[in-house]
Amino acid sequence: TEYRRMVLGEWVDAPTGDCLFSDYSDTQHVRGNAVRNEGLLPVPGLPIITGWDLGQAHSSVTFEQFIPTVDKIYWIVFDEVVYIDRYTPYRVLVPNVVGRMEYWAKRQRCEFKFQHISDESAFNQFRAKEGSFDVKDVQELSGGLIRMVAAPKGPYSINTRVRLTKEKLSSAELLVSATCVRTREMFMKLEQDPNDVTRPKPKTRFTHPFDSMSYPFIFYAARGEGSMRPQVGDVHKPQVYAA
């Protein structure tokens, strides 16, 4: 925070408590330049993964990829559709997400395969206001383009997602596009739960981008990231382009 204030001339808020992701820094984990609209772009030929966190007052969708290299697997966050502190009907949210899917396919001249991941509440929580389930509404509004799968959810799933995120940050295996301002804000301002430092502080506006970003982490971890390891000759490097 002090670096961004004193060196970059940005007036940014500092967390009021203990930051959950103390290993995160814009210098190490962000690629691109938000002022020039430059950021990370997805690699053609690799699947695009979207993480979904849906709610009545907040909705967050994160676009990600895992990129195999010889030494490690990089996870990149290159796009986001986030509505915080305001109700956004799915008839608005879903077309926006589909529009981003079409944009990246056109931009990269590639018919990407998409994997859409949410938590189990999208499958089993009935929304009385809409008279349906989230997963059903999203699928119908997308014309069948978006078919979600559920990330594992148990008593320690939140702690596990925090641990997986911290591991990726500490090993520099998680990169964030400079254009993903909500994700960057989450990393800077999401605080620890005072009663459990391995969990985020509950009921804050910053938990939603964390949830949507980290559901894919636990989904693939549960299936063994060994299956994601690169094959001989299958090596890609994260690159920055003008978005």
Side-chain angles (χ1 to χ4, degrees), residues 135-192:
V135 64
K136 182 175 181 292
D137 288 341
V138 170
Q139 182 172 320
E140 291 180 351
L141 287 168
S142 69
L145 291 175
I146 299 174
R147 296 176 179 269
M148 293 184 183
V149 296
K153 189 170 185 177
Y156 298 102
S157 62
I158 297 176
N159 310 68
T160 301
R161 288 189 284 117
V162 169
R163 175 179 58 79
L164 291 170
T165 302
K166 287 186 174 185
E167 289 175 354
K168 297 179 192 309
L169 289 172
S170 63
S171 59
E173 294 179 355
L174 175 57
L175 303 176
V176 181
S177 175
T179 56
C180 294
V181 294
R182 291 292 193 180
T183 302
R184 294 172 58 190
E185 182 183 43
M186 174 274 294
F187 276 121
M188 294 293 293
K189 298 182 180 180
L190 186 59
E191 300 173 15
Q192 298 174 354

Short mmCIF file of all heavy atoms in Angstrom, two decimals, residues 135-192:
data_model
loop_
_atom_site.label_atom_id
_atom_site.label_comp_id
_atom_site.label_asym_id
_atom_site.label_seq_id
_atom_site.Cartn_x
_atom_site.Cartn_y
_atom_site.Cartn_z
N VAL A 135 -28.34 -22.91 -11.26
CA VAL A 135 -27.72 -23.62 -12.36
C VAL A 135 -28.69 -23.77 -13.53
O VAL A 135 -28.30 -23.68 -14.70
CB VAL A 135 -27.19 -24.99 -11.89
CG1 VAL A 135 -28.34 -25.90 -11.42
CG2 VAL A 135 -26.38 -25.67 -12.99
N LYS A 136 -29.95 -23.99 -13.23
CA LYS A 136 -30.97 -24.14 -14.29
C LYS A 136 -31.20 -22.82 -15.01
O LYS A 136 -31.29 -22.77 -16.25
CB LYS A 136 -32.27 -24.66 -13.69
CG LYS A 136 -33.39 -24.91 -14.69
CD LYS A 136 -34.58 -25.53 -13.99
CE LYS A 136 -35.71 -25.82 -14.98
NZ LYS A 136 -36.30 -24.56 -15.51
N ASP A 137 -31.31 -21.73 -14.25
CA ASP A 137 -31.52 -20.42 -14.86
C ASP A 137 -30.36 -20.03 -15.77
O ASP A 137 -30.56 -19.53 -16.87
CB ASP A 137 -31.70 -19.36 -13.77
CG ASP A 137 -33.03 -19.48 -13.05
OD1 ASP A 137 -33.93 -20.13 -13.61
OD2 ASP A 137 -33.16 -18.94 -11.94
N VAL A 138 -29.14 -20.22 -15.27
CA VAL A 138 -27.96 -19.83 -16.06
C VAL A 138 -27.89 -20.64 -17.35
O VAL A 138 -27.61 -20.10 -18.42
CB VAL A 138 -26.68 -20.01 -15.21
CG1 VAL A 138 -25.44 -19.84 -16.08
CG2 VAL A 138 -26.66 -19.01 -14.06
N GLN A 139 -28.13 -21.92 -17.25
CA GLN A 139 -28.07 -22.76 -18.45
C GLN A 139 -29.11 -22.33 -19.48
O GLN A 139 -28.81 -22.23 -20.68
CB GLN A 139 -28.30 -24.23 -18.07
CG GLN A 139 -28.21 -25.18 -19.26
CD GLN A 139 -28.25 -26.64 -18.83
OE1 GLN A 139 -27.65 -27.01 -17.83
NE2 GLN A 139 -28.95 -27.46 -19.60
N GLU A 140 -30.33 -22.07 -19.03
CA GLU A 140 -31.39 -21.68 -19.96
C GLU A 140 -31.13 -20.31 -20.58
O GLU A 140 -31.31 -20.11 -21.78
CB GLU A 140 -32.74 -21.70 -19.26
CG GLU A 140 -33.22 -23.11 -18.90
CD GLU A 140 -34.56 -23.09 -18.19
OE1 GLU A 140 -35.04 -21.98 -17.84
OE2 GLU A 140 -35.13 -24.18 -17.99
N LEU A 141 -30.69 -19.35 -19.76
CA LEU A 141 -30.44 -18.00 -20.26
C LEU A 141 -29.24 -17.95 -21.22
O LEU A 141 -29.15 -17.05 -22.05
CB LEU A 141 -30.21 -17.04 -19.09
CG LEU A 141 -31.45 -16.68 -18.28
CD1 LEU A 141 -31.06 -15.97 -16.99
CD2 LEU A 141 -32.39 -15.80 -19.10
N SER A 142 -28.34 -18.91 -21.10
CA SER A 142 -27.17 -18.96 -21.99
C SER A 142 -27.45 -19.76 -23.25
O SER A 142 -26.54 -19.94 -24.08
CB SER A 142 -25.97 -19.56 -21.26
OG SER A 142 -26.17 -20.94 -21.01
N GLY A 143 -28.66 -20.27 -23.39
CA GLY A 143 -28.97 -21.09 -24.54
C GLY A 143 -28.24 -22.42 -24.53
O GLY A 143 -27.99 -23.00 -25.59
N GLY A 144 -27.92 -22.89 -23.32
CA GLY A 144 -27.22 -24.16 -23.18
C GLY A 144 -25.72 -24.08 -23.30
O GLY A 144 -25.03 -25.10 -23.18
N LEU A 145 -25.18 -22.87 -23.49
CA LEU A 145 -23.73 -22.72 -23.63
C LEU A 145 -23.01 -22.93 -22.31
O LEU A 145 -21.86 -23.37 -22.28
CB LEU A 145 -23.38 -21.33 -24.18
CG LEU A 145 -23.77 -21.04 -25.63
CD1 LEU A 145 -23.46 -19.59 -25.97
CD2 LEU A 145 -23.01 -21.98 -26.57
N ILE A 146 -23.67 -22.58 -21.20
CA ILE A 146 -23.04 -22.66 -19.89
C ILE A 146 -23.67 -23.81 -19.11
O ILE A 146 -24.85 -23.76 -18.76
CB ILE A 146 -23.19 -21.34 -19.11
CG1 ILE A 146 -22.50 -20.21 -19.86
CG2 ILE A 146 -22.62 -21.48 -17.70
CD1 ILE A 146 -22.73 -18.84 -19.25
N ARG A 147 -22.88 -24.84 -18.86
CA ARG A 147 -23.32 -25.99 -18.06
C ARG A 147 -22.34 -26.13 -16.90
O ARG A 147 -21.18 -26.46 -17.10
CB ARG A 147 -23.35 -27.26 -18.92
CG ARG A 147 -24.38 -27.19 -20.05
CD ARG A 147 -24.31 -28.43 -20.94
NE ARG A 147 -25.29 -28.37 -22.01
CZ ARG A 147 -26.52 -28.87 -21.93
NH1 ARG A 147 -26.91 -29.48 -20.81
NH2 ARG A 147 -27.36 -28.78 -22.94
N MET A 148 -22.82 -25.86 -15.71
CA MET A 148 -21.95 -25.81 -14.54
C MET A 148 -21.69 -27.18 -13.94
O MET A 148 -22.52 -28.09 -14.06
CB MET A 148 -22.56 -24.91 -13.47
CG MET A 148 -22.63 -23.45 -13.83
SD MET A 148 -23.25 -22.49 -12.42
CE MET A 148 -23.32 -20.86 -13.16
N VAL A 149 -20.56 -27.29 -13.27
CA VAL A 149 -20.26 -28.42 -12.40
C VAL A 149 -19.96 -27.85 -11.02
O VAL A 149 -19.59 -26.68 -10.88
CB VAL A 149 -19.08 -29.26 -12.92
CG1 VAL A 149 -19.42 -29.90 -14.25
CG2 VAL A 149 -17.82 -28.40 -13.06
N ALA A 150 -20.11 -28.68 -10.00
CA ALA A 150 -19.98 -28.21 -8.62
C ALA A 150 -18.59 -28.47 -8.06
O ALA A 150 -18.04 -29.57 -8.22
CB ALA A 150 -21.03 -28.88 -7.74
N ALA A 151 -18.03 -27.47 -7.39
CA ALA A 151 -16.79 -27.64 -6.66
C ALA A 151 -17.08 -28.35 -5.34
O ALA A 151 -18.16 -28.21 -4.78
CB ALA A 151 -16.13 -26.29 -6.40
N PRO A 152 -16.13 -29.12 -4.81
CA PRO A 152 -16.34 -29.79 -3.52
C PRO A 152 -16.63 -28.78 -2.41
O PRO A 152 -16.04 -27.71 -2.37
CB PRO A 152 -15.01 -30.50 -3.27
CG PRO A 152 -14.37 -30.62 -4.61
CD PRO A 152 -14.81 -29.42 -5.38
N LYS A 153 -17.56 -29.17 -1.54
CA LYS A 153 -17.90 -28.28 -0.42
C LYS A 153 -18.06 -29.11 0.83
O LYS A 153 -18.84 -30.06 0.86
CB LYS A 153 -19.19 -27.52 -0.73
CG LYS A 153 -19.49 -26.42 0.30
CD LYS A 153 -20.62 -25.54 -0.17
CE LYS A 153 -20.85 -24.37 0.79
NZ LYS A 153 -21.90 -23.45 0.31
N GLY A 154 -17.31 -28.78 1.84
CA GLY A 154 -17.37 -29.49 3.10
C GLY A 154 -17.03 -28.55 4.24
O GLY A 154 -16.90 -27.33 4.03
N PRO A 155 -16.86 -29.06 5.45
CA PRO A 155 -16.62 -28.18 6.60
C PRO A 155 -15.32 -27.38 6.51
O PRO A 155 -15.20 -26.34 7.15
CB PRO A 155 -16.60 -29.16 7.79
CG PRO A 155 -16.33 -30.50 7.18
CD PRO A 155 -16.96 -30.48 5.82
N TYR A 156 -14.35 -27.87 5.73
CA TYR A 156 -13.06 -27.16 5.63
C TYR A 156 -12.75 -26.72 4.20
O TYR A 156 -11.60 -26.46 3.87
CB TYR A 156 -11.93 -28.05 6.16
CG TYR A 156 -12.10 -28.41 7.61
CD1 TYR A 156 -12.56 -29.67 7.98
CD2 TYR A 156 -11.83 -27.48 8.62
CE1 TYR A 156 -12.73 -30.01 9.32
CE2 TYR A 156 -12.00 -27.82 9.96
CZ TYR A 156 -12.46 -29.07 10.29
OH TYR A 156 -12.64 -29.41 11.62
N SER A 157 -13.78 -26.62 3.37
CA SER A 157 -13.53 -26.25 1.97
C SER A 157 -13.01 -24.82 1.86
O SER A 157 -12.16 -24.54 1.01
CB SER A 157 -14.80 -26.43 1.15
OG SER A 157 -15.84 -25.58 1.62
N ILE A 158 -13.50 -23.90 2.70
CA ILE A 158 -13.02 -22.52 2.64
C ILE A 158 -11.55 -22.47 3.04
O ILE A 158 -10.73 -21.83 2.38
CB ILE A 158 -13.85 -21.61 3.55
CG1 ILE A 158 -15.31 -21.56 3.07
CG2 ILE A 158 -13.26 -20.20 3.59
CD1 ILE A 158 -16.22 -20.75 3.96
N ASN A 159 -11.19 -23.15 4.14
CA ASN A 159 -9.79 -23.18 4.57
C ASN A 159 -8.90 -23.77 3.48
O ASN A 159 -7.77 -23.30 3.26
CB ASN A 159 -9.66 -24.02 5.85
CG ASN A 159 -10.65 -23.63 6.92
OD1 ASN A 159 -11.86 -23.84 6.76
ND2 ASN A 159 -10.17 -23.08 8.04
N THR A 160 -9.40 -24.80 2.81
CA THR A 160 -8.62 -25.44 1.75
C THR A 160 -8.40 -24.48 0.58
O THR A 160 -7.30 -24.40 0.02
CB THR A 160 -9.32 -26.71 1.25
OG1 THR A 160 -9.49 -27.62 2.33
CG2 THR A 160 -8.52 -27.38 0.14
N ARG A 161 -9.44 -23.73 0.22
CA ARG A 161 -9.29 -22.78 -0.88
C ARG A 161 -8.32 -21.66 -0.53
O ARG A 161 -7.55 -21.20 -1.37
CB ARG A 161 -10.66 -22.22 -1.28
CG ARG A 161 -11.52 -23.25 -1.99
CD ARG A 161 -12.78 -22.66 -2.58
NE ARG A 161 -13.80 -22.39 -1.59
CZ ARG A 161 -14.28 -21.20 -1.29
NH1 ARG A 161 -13.77 -20.12 -1.89
NH2 ARG A 161 -15.23 -21.05 -0.38
N VAL A 162 -8.34 -21.23 0.73
CA VAL A 162 -7.36 -20.23 1.17
C VAL A 162 -5.95 -20.80 1.09
O VAL A 162 -5.03 -20.14 0.58
CB VAL A 162 -7.68 -19.76 2.61
CG1 VAL A 162 -6.52 -18.92 3.17
CG2 VAL A 162 -8.97 -18.96 2.65
N ARG A 163 -5.78 -22.04 1.56
CA ARG A 163 -4.44 -22.66 1.53
C ARG A 163 -3.94 -22.81 0.10
O ARG A 163 -2.78 -22.50 -0.20
CB ARG A 163 -4.49 -24.02 2.21
CG ARG A 163 -3.16 -24.79 2.13
CD ARG A 163 -3.25 -26.12 2.84
NE ARG A 163 -4.30 -26.97 2.31
CZ ARG A 163 -4.16 -27.68 1.18
NH1 ARG A 163 -3.04 -27.62 0.47
NH2 ARG A 163 -5.15 -28.46 0.77
N LEU A 164 -4.80 -23.27 -0.80
CA LEU A 164 -4.40 -23.44 -2.20
C LEU A 164 -4.01 -22.11 -2.83
O LEU A 164 -3.02 -22.03 -3.58
CB LEU A 164 -5.53 -24.09 -3.00
CG LEU A 164 -5.85 -25.55 -2.68
CD1 LEU A 164 -7.14 -25.98 -3.37
CD2 LEU A 164 -4.70 -26.46 -3.11
N THR A 165 -4.76 -21.07 -2.51
CA THR A 165 -4.43 -19.75 -3.06
C THR A 165 -3.11 -19.25 -2.52
O THR A 165 -2.27 -18.72 -3.27
CB THR A 165 -5.55 -18.74 -2.72
OG1 THR A 165 -6.80 -19.22 -3.24
CG2 THR A 165 -5.25 -17.38 -3.31
N LYS A 166 -2.88 -19.42 -1.22
CA LYS A 166 -1.61 -18.98 -0.63
C LYS A 166 -0.43 -19.74 -1.22
O LYS A 166 0.64 -19.16 -1.46
CB LYS A 166 -1.65 -19.16 0.89
CG LYS A 166 -2.53 -18.15 1.61
CD LYS A 166 -2.40 -18.29 3.11
CE LYS A 166 -3.15 -17.20 3.84
NZ LYS A 166 -2.95 -17.26 5.31
N GLU A 167 -0.60 -21.03 -1.45
CA GLU A 167 0.48 -21.82 -2.05
C GLU A 167 0.82 -21.32 -3.44
O GLU A 167 2.01 -21.22 -3.81
CB GLU A 167 0.07 -23.30 -2.11
CG GLU A 167 0.03 -23.99 -0.74
CD GLU A 167 -0.50 -25.40 -0.83
OE1 GLU A 167 -0.93 -25.82 -1.94
OE2 GLU A 167 -0.49 -26.11 0.20
N LYS A 168 -0.18 -20.99 -4.22
CA LYS A 168 0.07 -20.50 -5.58
C LYS A 168 0.73 -19.12 -5.55
O LYS A 168 1.58 -18.81 -6.39
CB LYS A 168 -1.24 -20.46 -6.37
CG LYS A 168 -1.86 -21.85 -6.57
CD LYS A 168 -3.16 -21.77 -7.35
CE LYS A 168 -3.93 -23.09 -7.30
NZ LYS A 168 -3.16 -24.26 -7.64
N LEU A 169 0.33 -18.29 -4.60
CA LEU A 169 0.96 -16.97 -4.48
C LEU A 169 2.42 -17.09 -4.05
O LEU A 169 3.30 -16.44 -4.61
CB LEU A 169 0.19 -16.12 -3.47
CG LEU A 169 -1.19 -15.62 -3.89
CD1 LEU A 169 -1.88 -14.95 -2.71
CD2 LEU A 169 -1.09 -14.64 -5.06
N SER A 170 2.67 -17.91 -3.04
CA SER A 170 4.04 -18.00 -2.51
C SER A 170 5.01 -18.60 -3.51
O SER A 170 6.20 -18.28 -3.49
CB SER A 170 4.04 -18.81 -1.21
OG SER A 170 3.63 -20.14 -1.45
N SER A 171 4.51 -19.47 -4.39
CA SER A 171 5.38 -20.08 -5.40
C SER A 171 5.32 -19.34 -6.73
O SER A 171 5.88 -19.81 -7.72
CB SER A 171 4.98 -21.55 -5.61
OG SER A 171 3.64 -21.65 -6.03
N ALA A 172 4.67 -18.18 -6.74
CA ALA A 172 4.54 -17.35 -7.95
C ALA A 172 3.91 -18.12 -9.10
O ALA A 172 4.27 -17.95 -10.26
CB ALA A 172 5.90 -16.79 -8.35
N GLU A 173 2.94 -18.97 -8.78
CA GLU A 173 2.23 -19.74 -9.80
C GLU A 173 0.85 -19.14 -10.12
O GLU A 173 0.10 -19.72 -10.90
CB GLU A 173 2.06 -21.19 -9.33
CG GLU A 173 3.36 -21.94 -9.21
CD GLU A 173 3.18 -23.36 -8.72
OE1 GLU A 173 2.03 -23.73 -8.40
OE2 GLU A 173 4.17 -24.11 -8.67
N LEU A 174 0.52 -18.00 -9.51
CA LEU A 174 -0.75 -17.34 -9.75
C LEU A 174 -0.48 -15.92 -10.23
O LEU A 174 0.17 -15.13 -9.53
CB LEU A 174 -1.60 -17.32 -8.47
CG LEU A 174 -2.93 -16.55 -8.53
CD1 LEU A 174 -3.83 -17.09 -9.65
CD2 LEU A 174 -3.65 -16.62 -7.18
N LEU A 175 -0.95 -15.61 -11.44
CA LEU A 175 -0.77 -14.29 -12.02
C LEU A 175 -2.13 -13.68 -12.32
O LEU A 175 -3.06 -14.37 -12.72
CB LEU A 175 0.05 -14.39 -13.32
CG LEU A 175 1.43 -15.06 -13.21
CD1 LEU A 175 2.07 -15.16 -14.59
CD2 LEU A 175 2.33 -14.28 -12.25
N VAL A 176 -2.23 -12.37 -12.13
CA VAL A 176 -3.48 -11.66 -12.29
C VAL A 176 -3.31 -10.55 -13.32
O VAL A 176 -2.33 -9.80 -13.29
CB VAL A 176 -3.95 -11.05 -10.95
CG1 VAL A 176 -5.28 -10.32 -11.12
CG2 VAL A 176 -4.06 -12.13 -9.88
N SER A 177 -4.26 -10.45 -14.22
CA SER A 177 -4.22 -9.37 -15.21
C SER A 177 -4.43 -8.03 -14.51
O SER A 177 -5.27 -7.89 -13.61
CB SER A 177 -5.31 -9.59 -16.26
OG SER A 177 -5.34 -8.49 -17.16
N ALA A 178 -3.70 -7.02 -14.95
CA ALA A 178 -3.84 -5.69 -14.38
C ALA A 178 -5.24 -5.14 -14.57
O ALA A 178 -5.68 -4.27 -13.82
CB ALA A 178 -2.82 -4.74 -15.00
N THR A 179 -5.96 -5.65 -15.56
CA THR A 179 -7.31 -5.17 -15.86
C THR A 179 -8.37 -5.77 -14.93
O THR A 179 -9.52 -5.31 -14.95
CB THR A 179 -7.68 -5.48 -17.31
OG1 THR A 179 -7.54 -6.89 -17.55
CG2 THR A 179 -6.75 -4.74 -18.27
N CYS A 180 -8.03 -6.76 -14.13
CA CYS A 180 -8.98 -7.40 -13.19
C CYS A 180 -8.95 -6.65 -11.87
O CYS A 180 -8.38 -7.12 -10.87
CB CYS A 180 -8.64 -8.87 -13.01
SG CYS A 180 -8.87 -9.86 -14.51
N VAL A 181 -9.58 -5.50 -11.83
CA VAL A 181 -9.45 -4.61 -10.68
C VAL A 181 -10.13 -5.18 -9.44
O VAL A 181 -9.68 -4.94 -8.31
CB VAL A 181 -10.00 -3.21 -11.02
CG1 VAL A 181 -9.13 -2.55 -12.08
CG2 VAL A 181 -11.44 -3.29 -11.49
N ARG A 182 -11.23 -5.90 -9.60
CA ARG A 182 -11.93 -6.46 -8.44
C ARG A 182 -11.11 -7.57 -7.79
O ARG A 182 -11.08 -7.70 -6.56
CB ARG A 182 -13.29 -6.99 -8.85
CG ARG A 182 -14.30 -5.93 -9.25
CD ARG A 182 -14.70 -5.07 -8.08
NE ARG A 182 -15.88 -4.26 -8.38
CZ ARG A 182 -16.45 -3.43 -7.54
NH1 ARG A 182 -15.94 -3.27 -6.32
NH2 ARG A 182 -17.51 -2.70 -7.89
N THR A 183 -10.47 -8.38 -8.60
CA THR A 183 -9.62 -9.44 -8.05
C THR A 183 -8.43 -8.85 -7.33
O THR A 183 -8.06 -9.29 -6.23
CB THR A 183 -9.16 -10.38 -9.17
OG1 THR A 183 -10.30 -10.93 -9.84
CG2 THR A 183 -8.31 -11.51 -8.62
N ARG A 184 -7.81 -7.84 -7.91
CA ARG A 184 -6.68 -7.19 -7.26
C ARG A 184 -7.11 -6.52 -5.95
O ARG A 184 -6.40 -6.59 -4.94
CB ARG A 184 -6.07 -6.16 -8.21
CG ARG A 184 -5.43 -6.75 -9.45
CD ARG A 184 -5.03 -5.68 -10.45
NE ARG A 184 -4.09 -4.74 -9.86
CZ ARG A 184 -3.72 -3.60 -10.46
NH1 ARG A 184 -4.24 -3.28 -11.64
NH2 ARG A 184 -2.86 -2.80 -9.89
N GLU A 185 -8.26 -5.89 -5.97
CA GLU A 185 -8.78 -5.27 -4.75
C GLU A 185 -9.02 -6.32 -3.67
O GLU A 185 -8.73 -6.08 -2.49
CB GLU A 185 -10.09 -4.54 -5.08
CG GLU A 185 -10.70 -3.81 -3.89
CD GLU A 185 -12.03 -3.17 -4.24
OE1 GLU A 185 -12.85 -3.81 -4.93
OE2 GLU A 185 -12.24 -2.03 -3.80
N MET A 186 -9.52 -7.47 -4.06
CA MET A 186 -9.76 -8.55 -3.10
C MET A 186 -8.46 -8.97 -2.43
O MET A 186 -8.39 -9.10 -1.20
CB MET A 186 -10.39 -9.75 -3.81
CG MET A 186 -10.57 -11.00 -2.97
SD MET A 186 -9.13 -12.10 -2.93
CE MET A 186 -9.05 -12.64 -4.63
N PHE A 187 -7.40 -9.16 -3.21
CA PHE A 187 -6.13 -9.58 -2.64
C PHE A 187 -5.57 -8.54 -1.68
O PHE A 187 -4.94 -8.89 -0.66
CB PHE A 187 -5.12 -9.87 -3.75
CG PHE A 187 -5.22 -11.23 -4.34
CD1 PHE A 187 -5.47 -11.41 -5.69
CD2 PHE A 187 -5.07 -12.36 -3.55
CE1 PHE A 187 -5.57 -12.68 -6.25
CE2 PHE A 187 -5.16 -13.63 -4.09
CZ PHE A 187 -5.41 -13.79 -5.45
N MET A 188 -5.79 -7.28 -1.97
CA MET A 188 -5.24 -6.22 -1.13
C MET A 188 -6.05 -6.00 0.15
O MET A 188 -5.50 -5.60 1.18
CB MET A 188 -5.19 -4.91 -1.93
CG MET A 188 -4.22 -4.93 -3.10
SD MET A 188 -2.49 -5.04 -2.58
CE MET A 188 -2.29 -3.46 -1.78
N LYS A 189 -7.36 -6.26 0.11
CA LYS A 189 -8.21 -5.81 1.20
C LYS A 189 -8.94 -6.91 1.96
O LYS A 189 -9.55 -6.62 3.00
CB LYS A 189 -9.24 -4.81 0.66
CG LYS A 189 -8.61 -3.56 0.09
CD LYS A 189 -9.66 -2.57 -0.40
CE LYS A 189 -9.02 -1.32 -0.96
NZ LYS A 189 -10.04 -0.34 -1.43
N LEU A 190 -8.90 -8.14 1.47
CA LEU A 190 -9.59 -9.21 2.19
C LEU A 190 -8.82 -9.53 3.46
O LEU A 190 -7.63 -9.84 3.42
CB LEU A 190 -9.71 -10.45 1.30
CG LEU A 190 -10.55 -11.61 1.87
CD1 LEU A 190 -11.98 -11.16 2.15
CD2 LEU A 190 -10.54 -12.78 0.90
N GLU A 191 -9.51 -9.49 4.61
CA GLU A 191 -8.86 -9.67 5.90
C GLU A 191 -9.10 -11.06 6.47
O GLU A 191 -10.01 -11.78 6.04
CB GLU A 191 -9.39 -8.62 6.88
CG GLU A 191 -9.16 -7.20 6.46
CD GLU A 191 -9.84 -6.20 7.37
OE1 GLU A 191 -10.25 -6.59 8.49
OE2 GLU A 191 -9.99 -5.03 6.98
N GLN A 192 -8.29 -11.42 7.42
CA GLN A 192 -8.45 -12.69 8.14
C GLN A 192 -9.66 -12.64 9.06
O GLN A 192 -10.01 -11.59 9.59
CB GLN A 192 -7.20 -12.98 8.97
CG GLN A 192 -5.92 -13.14 8.20
CD GLN A 192 -4.72 -13.27 9.11
OE1 GLN A 192 -4.84 -13.14 10.34
NE2 GLN A 192 -3.55 -13.53 8.55
#
